[in-house]
Amino acid sequence: MADAQYNKRVDVLIIGAGASGAAVAWSLAETGMHILCIEQGDWVNPLNYPSTQRDWEMAGQRNYAISPNVRKLKADYPINDEESPIAIANFNAVGGSTILYSAHFPRFHPSDFRVRSLDGVADDWPISYFDLEPFFALNDQNIGVAGHPGDPALPPHTPTMSPVPLGTMGETMARAFNQLGWHWWPSDTAIITRDHEGREACANIGSCNVGCPKGAKSSADVSYWPVALRAGVKLRTNCRVREITVGPDGMATGATYYDDLGVEHHQAAEMVIVACNGVGTPRLLLNSKSPRFPDGIANSSGLVGKNLMLHPWGNVQGLFDHPVDRFGPEGSCMLSQQFYETDASRGFVRGYNMQITRGRGPVLTARAALWRGELPWGANHHTVFEKLYNRTINLGICVEDLPEECNQVTLDPKLTDSNGIPSPKISYRLSENSRRMLNHGLARGVEAMEAAGAIRTDTVGPIRMAGWHLLGTARMGADPRTSVVNEWGRSHDVKNLFVVDGSVFVTSGGVNPTTTIQAVALYIADQIKKRLANLFD
Amino acid sequence: MSNTPLIASDQPLTESLRRTLDAVLEIIIPAEPARGMPSAREVAVFRYLQDHASDYWRLLATQLDELDASAFRQFAQHFADLSLDERMRVAHVMRNTNPGFLRRLALETVTCYYQDDRVMVAVGMEPRPPAPKGQEAYAGDFSLVEPVIARGAIWRRTE
Ligand SMILES: Cc1cc2nc3c(=O)[nH]c(=O)nc-3n(C[C@H](O)[C@H](O)[C@H](O)COP(=O)(O)OP(=O)(O)OC[C@H]3O[C@@H](n4cnc5c(N)ncnc54)[C@H](O)[C@@H]3O)c2cc1C
Ligand code: SF4
């Protein structure tokens, strides 16, 4: 196909087909504009997911490992995260990192958007929880979110279907939280528990973190993309964008990208929307250098890549002297937000979420125990294994990370991907506030496990391989000096360039971010639709 | 082209080294018939190493030779001819002198072992991949939220 025809100017070019790119594509489709999304990864075939294979536990550690530096697939770009105690996790495919996510789907709280006003730290967002509320609901409706209505830790909202199983594991923890007088609630979960939009309900296969072979987990490839494609959006896979190009007037003209064979193309567009996540987006913006924007596009504030927030993560594992079931979605069951809102007496500001997750399968149980020197050789092997398998409950601590300019994504001077495009480099350190919060969370986690009857607890945090929430590197705000995009996602510098992923987050909240990322993406898409007549003024 | 492998480590193990391997697998995980657990020598560890740990597989013959030599030094017998207890003592010495070899062997062994049909059944699972059938999961008692509801809203007001 002739390049000119193939890359014919489109109205909207979306870069990145993950959680946010998919939501925006779906929303804008109704405008009838010519919309094209370019994605560096391919479609993933659910029939190839590890849980369809006998060695599913180990297969999940290879091509579905959470680190791109381990997977090293064609779609992956290496990330230099040596200068960070937390390594970056992602997935590069249609659906983006939602291919691997746990689908734990708690919303940000109203207070998360008013951090400066309430606690005197960081900055307020230019939008509020209540601005996003209709888009949270719309997103829940679109992708199917299971949960239990009436959570007193949030303004009232009603999940679209009944919750995922608590199991005896969840009941054990629920009783413990009740005994302590702490908040807990069945988690909102982006997993369908009844048939929804042509997808079948969850069958409790369990290994959601290496892809859901049933399509019950609402990853973007099975939730938004099929609908967006039917509505006319085009999706070009296996194409990696090198840079966003600009014209003499300083407006974005499109993007230069490499196709599957490494051939360079230019895709012209009236408007460019970046949705490459909190690391991929600043990388692309910083790589988009031109005489007009020598420090990268949209970067007059100097803040592109800065204020990276990663949600330092801790885990408390409780070991029980009786079996606790582990059937159900592995990463989403219930949460506690007892310590979510600020209480100055704790020695830190802001707070954290506790997320209960299920134990491991037999292979990973045995390997971990052997590695720790706990599982012996010889006659005692079976007795010890029995005491470890199906007897653990995990409690994850998700700590609100506050923005700091020193925590950042820059371009690595040497490392490149297979197309020769400079890779991102992560420079990150844990703040004192985050450290205190994490320690507090680990101690409370132990308390909860002990209340639940655990005979032993093991704590770890911050976990290195847990940089799965990538936020803050192209923050939104009203002031062009202190933010990269305005309050509806448009670059202050380039009036036809938008960012819609977690990069725009002003603060990180203390929960998994994807429901909020998608609500923000839908909000920005809505703003675009409302302003079409004078969008670039 | 000749069918003869160019390097010796591409060859399957000799009969004697297979005996050594089986003998070490048996001390890593012995059988326990009462629980329905086979020993690791009864599961396909050898094949697993070939298919999934090719880097390690190449070193196996040399390392097993070393283990056997160590048995000879300590007990003047082949490793495979020693009692379980004696084998354990030889392995213990080797775990100190060459910890990488046996640690890796044990890791690969448990990885293969806990995928074996008999073992999966014995630990209470069906011998199949999780998909597509999934599991019957117990929903749980959602009325446990009552005390949480009774304490009322806890979200912080912003307006
Ligand atoms: C193991 C794991 C577990 C997680 N669990 C949860 C959870 O339980 N709950 C939760 O809320 N969140 C979870 N997350 C995080 C969640 O997946 C992300 O927040 C979400 O996917 C972010 O959406 P996004 O659109 O910003 O980016 P992504 O979904 O990462 O999508 C970005 C897309 O852009 C593409 N891209 C990047 N650069 C380029 C380029 N130059 N050219 C072309 N394409 C490009 C990528 O290939 C990718 O497909 C988890 C993540 C991981 C890795
Ligand atoms: S538990 Fe449900 S969502 Fe998770 S992989 Fe299985 S079917 Fe999919």
Side-chain angles (χ1 to χ4, degrees):
Chain A
M1 195 183 309
D3 199 57
Q5 187 57 30
Y6 186 56
N7 291 307
K8 205 168 144 221
R9 174 176 287 272
V10 293
D11 297 317
V12 183
L13 172 62
I14 301 170
I15 306 170
S20 59
V24 160
W26 171 84
S27 175
L28 292 182
E30 67 170 345
T31 62
M33 292 191 287
H34 288 114
I35 303 170
L36 169 71
C37 177
I38 292 186
E39 163 59 49
Q40 68 189 339
D42 205 344
W43 288 94
V44 184
N45 181 352
L47 295 178
N48 293 336
Y49 281 136
S51 56
T52 61
Q53 299 155 34
R54 276 303 289 268
D55 73 336
W56 84 96
E57 290 186 86
M58 292 311 292
Q61 317 274 308
R62 298 190 288 263
N63 284 356
Y64 294 87
I66 66 177
S67 164
N69 297 341
V70 172
R71 287 191 310 267
K72 295 187 174 136
L73 299 178
K74 194 166 179 222
D76 293 319
Y77 53 96
I79 299 177
N80 178 353
D81 49 23
E82 282 163 19
E83 282 179 22
S84 167
I86 301 174
I88 302 302
N90 70 11
F91 201 76
N92 299 307
V94 177
S97 305
T98 65
I99 296 293
L100 299 188
Y101 81 158
S102 301
H104 194 246
F105 229 51
R107 297 178 178 189
F108 272 30
H109 288 205
S111 71
D112 289 324
F113 300 85
R114 294 286 174 268
V115 171
R116 163 67 65 183
S117 310
L118 294 172
D119 294 318
V121 291
D123 280 305
D124 288 351
W125 290 51
I127 53 177
S128 73
Y129 175 90
F130 300 100
D131 293 325
L132 291 182
E133 203 169 37
F135 302 97
F136 277 122
L138 178 63
N139 195 48
D140 286 3
Q141 194 64 49
N142 286 346
I143 71 175
V145 171
H148 195 71
D151 183 356
L154 276 173
H157 74 283
T158 305
T160 53
M161 51 190 80
S162 56
V164 300
L166 282 177
T168 57
M169 177 195 80
E171 286 184 350
T172 305
M173 293 311 297
R175 291 201 176 89
F177 288 128
N178 284 349
Q179 184 186 321
L180 293 164
W182 293 359
H183 169 267
W184 74 273
W185 204 257
S187 297
D188 280 9
T189 303
I191 288 176
I192 53 171
T193 51
R194 63 169 157 73
D195 295 357
H196 177 78
E197 302 276 340
R199 292 190 284 140
E200 270 183 36
C202 170
N204 302 304
I205 287 166
S207 39
C208 326
N209 284 132
V210 285
C212 171
K214 207 163 162 59
K217 184 178 81 168
S218 302
S219 48
D221 58 328
V222 298
S223 56
Y224 274 117
W225 274 116
V227 188
L229 294 177
R230 279 200 299 276
V233 176
K234 299 277 184 294
L235 175 55
R236 199 171 290 160
T237 57
N238 297 308
C239 292
R240 180 177 282 134
V241 174
R242 184 185 72 205
E243 64 180 293
I244 297 159
T245 50
V246 283
D249 56 356
M251 297 285 271
T253 52
T256 301
Y257 70 94
Y258 297 101
D259 69 16
D260 200 16
L261 302 173
V263 177
E264 184 179 321
H265 299 261
H266 185 264
Q267 175 61 55
E270 296 293 335
M271 165 191 346
V272 177
I273 299 179
V274 186
C276 296
N277 82 33
V279 169
T281 288
R283 174 201 190 205
L284 177 57
L285 298 179
L286 291 171
N287 269 321
S288 303
K289 291 192 175 88
S290 59
R292 179 130 186 172
F293 300 114
D295 300 322
I297 198 168
N299 197 18
S300 65
S301 63
L303 289 175
V304 170
K306 299 224 164 91
N307 297 305
L308 172 68
M309 295 172 279
L310 289 177
H311 282 160
W313 200 273
N315 191 67
V316 180
Q317 181 170 281
L319 178 69
F320 293 79
D321 63 5
H322 54 85
V324 280
D325 61 16
R326 58 174 187 85
F327 295 137
E330 62 184 327
S332 195
C333 172
M334 63 190 286
L335 52 70
S336 168
Q337 299 195 330
Q338 181 64 26
F339 305 101
Y340 195 87
E341 307 284 8
T342 296
D343 175 345
S345 71
R346 295 181 195 136
F348 54 84
V349 284
R350 309 302 301 152
Y352 57 87
N353 183 68
M354 293 175 160
Q355 173 180 346
I356 304 299
T357 59
R358 297 175 213 269
R360 293 165 150 168
V363 170
L364 293 182
T365 299
R367 282 176 67 98
L370 198 67
W371 195 251
R372 288 194 302 269
E374 197 177 343
L375 188 62
W377 290 29
N380 230 1
H381 180 95
H382 301 292
T383 312
V384 173
F385 181 81
E386 190 181 75
K387 287 186 176 152
L388 298 173
Y389 177 58
N390 268 351
R391 288 170 188 232
T392 54
I393 301 179
N394 289 294
L395 184 155
I397 316 283
C398 176
V399 160
E400 171 161 355
D401 210 6
L402 290 169
E404 295 183 278
E405 286 193 19
C406 61
N407 290 337
Q408 56 178 322
V409 179
T410 53
L411 296 178
D412 192 277
K414 291 202 192 103
L415 193 65
T416 62
D417 62 27
S418 54
N419 294 114
I421 306 171
S423 278
K425 176 179 174 186
I426 312 298
S427 308
Y428 177 92
R429 61 164 182 75
L430 214 64
S431 72
E432 185 53 28
N433 195 63
S434 295
R435 192 173 297 282
R436 285 188 193 182
M437 207 186 304
L438 187 58
N439 289 340
H440 188 273
L442 291 171
R444 295 295 82 72
V446 169
E447 224 177 298
M449 284 296 171
E450 286 174 353
I455 52 171
R456 193 181 87 197
T457 54
D458 293 299
T459 60
V460 51
I463 297 175
R464 175 158 176 80
M465 203 54 257
W468 35 51
H469 302 157
L470 312 172
L471 309 167
T473 47
R475 67 201 320 225
M476 57 161 52
D479 185 346
R481 288 165 307 174
T482 56
S483 55
V484 176
V485 297
N486 72 7
E487 54 275 47
W488 40 280
R490 192 182 73 178
S491 155
H492 289 298
D493 302 344
V494 182
K495 294 198 182 323
N496 61 345
L497 174 64
F498 295 77
V499 180
V500 295
D501 58 57
S503 307
V504 304
F505 279 32
V506 180
T507 55
S508 70
V511 281
N512 324 55
T514 309
T515 177
T516 308
I517 289 176
Q518 290 188 308
V520 167
L522 291 174
Y523 169 80
I524 293 173
D526 191 62
Q527 292 291 314
I528 290 174
K529 287 186 283 192
K530 284 192 173 126
R531 295 163 196 264
L532 272 182
N534 52 0
L535 190 60
F536 306 145
D537 291 351
Chain B
M1 203 166 84
S2 155
N3 282 334
T4 315
L6 292 177
I7 44 176
S9 57
D10 280 350
Q11 300 263 26
L13 295 182
T14 60
E15 190 52 39
S16 120
L17 288 180
R18 273 302 291 265
R19 282 183 68 231
T20 312
L21 178 64
D22 282 350
V24 71
L25 293 176
E26 196 169 27
I27 59 165
I28 295 175
I29 311 180
E32 195 173 327
R35 291 178 206 262
M37 300 297 242
S39 95
R41 75 182 289 172
E42 296 167 63
V43 305
V45 175
F46 181 68
R47 178 73 192 278
Y48 183 85
L49 291 173
Q50 245 178 330
D51 292 350
H52 295 278
S54 53
D55 57 327
Y56 182 74
W57 159 250
R58 287 173 187 282
L59 304 172
L60 197 60
T62 332
Q63 307 276 4
L64 288 171
D65 253 343
E66 195 182 320
L67 187 68
D68 205 35
S70 180
F72 246 94
R73 277 196 300 277
Q74 287 178 64
F75 294 104
Q77 281 188 74
H78 284 294
F79 186 81
D81 296 329
L82 300 178
S83 70
L84 289 179
D85 194 46
E86 287 164 340
R87 276 185 246 164
M88 207 56 125
R89 281 157 62 190
V90 175
H92 184 73
V93 171
M94 190 152 175
R95 282 162 98 173
N96 289 327
T97 55
N98 181 359
F101 166 59
L102 288 178
R103 189 188 304 143
R104 176 82 188 269
L105 181 61
L107 263 184
E108 302 295 354
T109 299
V110 296
T111 306
C112 169
Y113 184 80
Y114 286 101
Q115 292 176 38
D116 181 83
D117 283 3
R118 289 159 294 178
V119 177
M120 287 180 80
V121 170
V123 301
M125 299 176 72
E126 289 175 49
R128 60 171 173 84
K133 191 172 163 200
Q135 303 286 347
E136 277 302 317
Y138 164 59
D141 177 5
F142 288 89
S143 73
L144 285 165
V145 296
E146 293 306 331
V148 186
I149 296 171
R151 286 194 295 275
I154 59 167
W155 58 277
R156 199 170 171 195
R157 298 298 192 275
T158 51
E159 271 137 26

